[in-house]
Amino acid sequence: MSIGNVSAVLVHGAWADGSSWSKVIEGLKAHGINAVAAPLPLSSLHDDVAALDRTLERIEGPVVLAGHAYAGAVIGSTHADNIKALVYVAALAPAVGETVGDVFYRGEAHPLAPKLSPDRHGLIWLPEEAFAAAFAQHASAQELTVLGAVQRPISASCIGEAVGRPLWKDRPSWFLITEQDRMISPDTQHFMAQRMNARVHSHQVDHTPIVTAADAVISVIVEAVQAVSVH
């Protein structure tokens, strides 16, 4: 199996869309790796897994599946046969019976973390000022403008649904820990990565390195692709 046969499927988290992976997609292409950004409705964990499965059905050959933040729960809840490895980028990895909320709120919140609550439609929006304060504090003004403009709300039901047996128990996994994360506690990330027995890469980056430190993300995904390509 050559590296060119392995595709990367990239899954966005809450308050984002597939465009958040733009730099990573371009960087992977330079390494000869085709990438597809899977769109999620963010309406429920069940809906999001179903949407991811529809994307995976369209991919021929082996896949390295990468998820950012909330999407860690989504990539851990699919069981598509063509997935060969998982890459968690500051991502939440609930274990059997846990919810996204259980792991998200496990650690002490950063002082600059936003206070989150659903609106009358049951949707949680990220306050505009939180993009610069906590979501991507290392982003440029232009990047922050785009992140705020394309944000998609997440349904409160996404974070309250318990997961089954996660795929990381059955596939090799990588974890990029974001040590300057103000959204998901770095301590929580270390806890999850250790519990998963993941191959850890730790960087002094913010919560959204897919935008602000793309090279670090690209290198981890390339490493995972190369690892599964030798088998």
Side-chain angles (χ1 to χ4, degrees):
M1 187 188 302
S2 72
I3 191 171
N5 292 337
V6 182
S7 300
V9 173
L10 314 174
V11 191
H12 65 84
W15 312 301
D17 64 9
S19 67
S20 61
W21 290 96
S22 296
K23 293 181 184 179
V24 175
I25 293 167
E26 293 169 6
L28 291 174
K29 189 70 172 178
H31 285 275
I33 300 168
N34 287 323
V36 172
L40 301 184
L42 301 178
S43 49
S44 74
L45 181 58
H46 178 270
D47 290 348
D48 292 340
V49 175
L52 174 57
D53 284 342
R54 289 192 292 272
T55 295
L56 291 167
E57 284 177 14
R58 298 173 44 235
I59 309 296
E60 292 186 6
V63 166
V64 167
L65 185 58
H68 174 239
Y70 160 72
V74 181
I75 68 173
S77 296
T78 183
H79 292 279
D81 292 337
N82 55 343
I83 300 166
K84 302 303 179 186
L86 301 170
V87 176
Y88 287 73
V89 181
L92 295 165
V96 178
E98 292 179 344
T99 68
V100 168
D102 288 337
V103 283
F104 182 73
Y105 291 109
R106 178 182 179 275
E108 188 174 344
H110 189 279
L112 294 175
K115 302 293 188 287
L116 301 172
S117 60
D119 65 12
R120 63 188 181 91
H121 303 290
L123 301 175
I124 302 169
W125 293 86
L126 194 67
E128 186 175 348
E129 65 276 7
F131 284 97
F135 190 79
Q137 69 266 26
H138 296 162
S140 68
Q142 182 180 15
E143 289 164 346
L144 290 168
T145 297
V146 174
L147 285 169
V150 304
Q151 84 148 303
R152 301 179 60 211
I154 184 169
S155 171
S157 60
C158 290
I159 68 172
E161 188 176 329
V163 305
R165 178 183 174 89
L167 189 60
W168 49 259
K169 284 187 170 290
D170 305 305
R171 298 288 192 279
S173 59
W174 278 254
F175 204 117
L176 193 162
I177 295 174
T178 49
E179 298 288 358
Q180 297 178 13
D181 200 311
R182 297 176 181 175
M183 296 291 294
I184 299 173
S185 165
D187 288 344
T188 296
Q189 295 182 46
H190 280 280
F191 164 79
M192 292 184 294
Q194 182 176 13
R195 180 170 70 173
M196 296 163 62
N197 196 29
R199 303 174 204 194
V200 172
H201 291 259
S202 177
H203 292 275
Q204 294 296 325
V205 295
D206 66 20
H207 175 67
T208 312
I210 58 176
V211 173
T212 62
D215 287 348
V217 179
I218 292 162
S219 68
V220 177
I221 296 174
V222 169
E223 181 181 308
V225 169
Q226 290 173 337
V228 302
S229 297
V230 299
H231 297 298

